[in-house]
Structures are given as structure tokens and as C-alpha cells.
């Protein structure tokens, strides 16, 4: 069982940056592949980025590639999402997710555990 708590969301102007954090409970964080998803108002939840349990592999949605960076610190049981060059269309609730797996997972139904989400709002 893993519990996930996101933080770091907020209001930022277009072109700005935010770093989201997702703290995981438990002693086996390094056994879990992690991902970030987002859900904008009136839209379905979509994949943003994923990282393997070792941190050696990452994968990004085309819409954020080159602007967002996913990373993890297994000693701190935390996964991060650094978001740069933010756009109004990045406005959404951002969720982190975990699954007991070694490789990156990019599909929503591939994850077993979810955080409660953190709001990111980008003003134009």
C-alpha cells in the first residue's frame, strides 16, 4: 500500500515555473514506477510524464516535452515535476500515481495508487 500526497501547485503567470512534489509513504518507494497526470475542467485526465523505479528512464507527453522534467529522489520517497515555460493550457489538477513496476508506465489504468491532486493555474 502506498499513500501519495502532492504539493507545490498554485497560480503562476504564463512563461513562469512551478515544481510539484509527490511524497510517498512506505519503505518500498524505490520499487514503484511513478507518473504524473492532469485533468483540466471538462476534460478527461491525461498522461503528462512517467519515470521508472530507478529513475533511469523517463517519458513525456508531446504537449510538455522540452518544458517539463520528471525526477525522483528514492532516499526522500519523493517524485518531482519541474514545469517551465508554463502555458494557460497547462491549467489543470495534477495527480501523481504509483505502480509496482520497474519500467515507465504511461497509461492511466496501469497505475494502482493515486494522490488527491494539486491545482495548477496559469494566467495569460
Amino acid at each position: 500500500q502506498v499513500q501519495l500526497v502532492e504539493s507545490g501547485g498554485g497560480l503562476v503567470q504564463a512563461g513562469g515555473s512551478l515544481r510539484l512534489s509527490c511524497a510517498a509513504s512506505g519503505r518500498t518507494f524505490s520499487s514503484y514506477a511513478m507518473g504524473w497526470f492532469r485533468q483540466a475542467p471538462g476534460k478527461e485526465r491525461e498522461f503528462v510524464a512517467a519515470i521508472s523505479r530507478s529513475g533511469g528512464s523517463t517519458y513525456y507527453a508531446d504537449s510538455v516535452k522540452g518544458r517539463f522534467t520528471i525526477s525522483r529522489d528514492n532516499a526522500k520517497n519523493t517524485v518531482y515535476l519541474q514545469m517551465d515555460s508554463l502555458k494557460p493550457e497547462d491549467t489543470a489538477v495534477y495527480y501523481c500515481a504509483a505502480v509496482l513496476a520497474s519500467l515507465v508506465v504511461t497509461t492511466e489504468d496501469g497505475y494502482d495508487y493515486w494522490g488527491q491532486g494539486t491545482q495548477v493555474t496559469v494566467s495569460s
Side-chain angles (χ1 to χ4, degrees):
Q1 190 82 10
V2 175
Q3 291 185 327
L4 305 172
V5 179
E6 302 97 335
S7 62
L11 174 64
V12 64
Q13 289 188 332
S17 297
L18 282 175
R19 188 176 81 155
L20 305 183
S21 299
C22 173
S25 64
R27 296 174 292 177
T28 59
F29 177 71
S30 60
S31 298
Y32 289 82
M34 303 294 295
W36 286 96
F37 290 75
R38 67 186 181 187
Q39 187 168 21
K43 295 187 177 181
E44 295 185 350
R45 190 154 55 183
E46 64 176 2
F47 168 77
V48 175
I51 189 166
S52 62
R53 66 184 183 186
S54 70
S57 297
T58 57
Y59 193 82
Y60 298 91
D62 287 343
S63 58
V64 306
K65 201 173 294 182
R67 300 188 298 120
F68 290 11
T69 304
I70 188 171
S71 62
R72 66 189 295 161
D73 185 337
N74 285 345
K76 295 183 178 180
N77 283 13
T78 302
V79 63
Y80 304 97
L81 186 67
Q82 177 67 41
M83 304 186 296
D84 299 319
S85 302
L86 282 162
K87 304 175 181 179
E89 51 263 44
D90 294 318
T91 295
V93 177
Y94 284 71
Y95 299 89
C96 72
V99 61
L100 195 64
S102 58
L103 304 177
V104 294
V105 178
T106 61
T107 57
E108 185 174 349
D109 59 7
Y111 286 90
D112 295 322
Y113 304 100
W114 293 84
Q116 83 290 348
T118 186
Q119 176 70 47
V120 171
T121 303
V122 184
S123 63
S124 57

